C-alpha cells in the first residue's frame, strides 16, 4: 500500500464524517487528503487469501 493511499477516507476507523481512533469522535477537515499516523486500513493478502490489516509505517516507497 502506498502512503498516498493511507488517508482518513479509506481508514476503517473513519465513519464517513468522524475519526473514531480515540473514544471521542473528532471531525477531520479534509479526509480525502489527511494522512494519519494511527490509522488502520485493509488490503488483500495473496499469502492468506483474505483481507488483512495494514498499519501506518508499513507503507511502500512510491
Amino acid at each position: 500500500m502506498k502512503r498516498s493511499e493511507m488517508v482518513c477516507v479509506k481508514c476503517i476507523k473513519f465513519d464517513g464524517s468522524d475519526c473514531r481512533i480515540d473514544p471521542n469522535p473528532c471531525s477531520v477537515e479534509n479526509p480525502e487528503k489527511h494522512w494519519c499516523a494511527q490509522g488502520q486500513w485493509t488490503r488483500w493478502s495473496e499469502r492468506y487469501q483474505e483481507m488483512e490489516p495494514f498499519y501506518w509505517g508499513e507503507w511502500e516507497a512510491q
Side-chain angles (χ1 to χ4, degrees), residues 46-58:
E46 290 296 327
R47 179 178 179 187
Y48 299 112
Q49 293 297 302
E50 64 182 23
M51 296 304 282
E52 67 176 348
F54 196 84
Y55 302 94
W56 182 263
E58 299 178 16

Side-chain angles (χ1 to χ4, degrees), residues 1-14 30-44 51-52 54-62:
M1 177 172 271
K2 294 181 179 178
R3 183 170 63 174
S4 61
E5 297 171 348
M6 300 172 84
V7 293
C8 283
V9 121
K10 297 181 181 182
C11 179
I12 65 170
K13 299 188 183 278
F14 186 74
N30 193 351
E32 294 84 16
K33 295 184 179 180
H34 185 261
W35 289 346
C36 177
Q38 298 177 16
Q40 180 180 346
W41 297 266
T42 56
R43 71 170 182 179
W44 181 254
M51 296 304 282
E52 67 176 348
F54 196 84
Y55 302 94
W56 182 263
E58 299 178 16
W59 52 273
E60 302 164 356
Q62 297 186 31

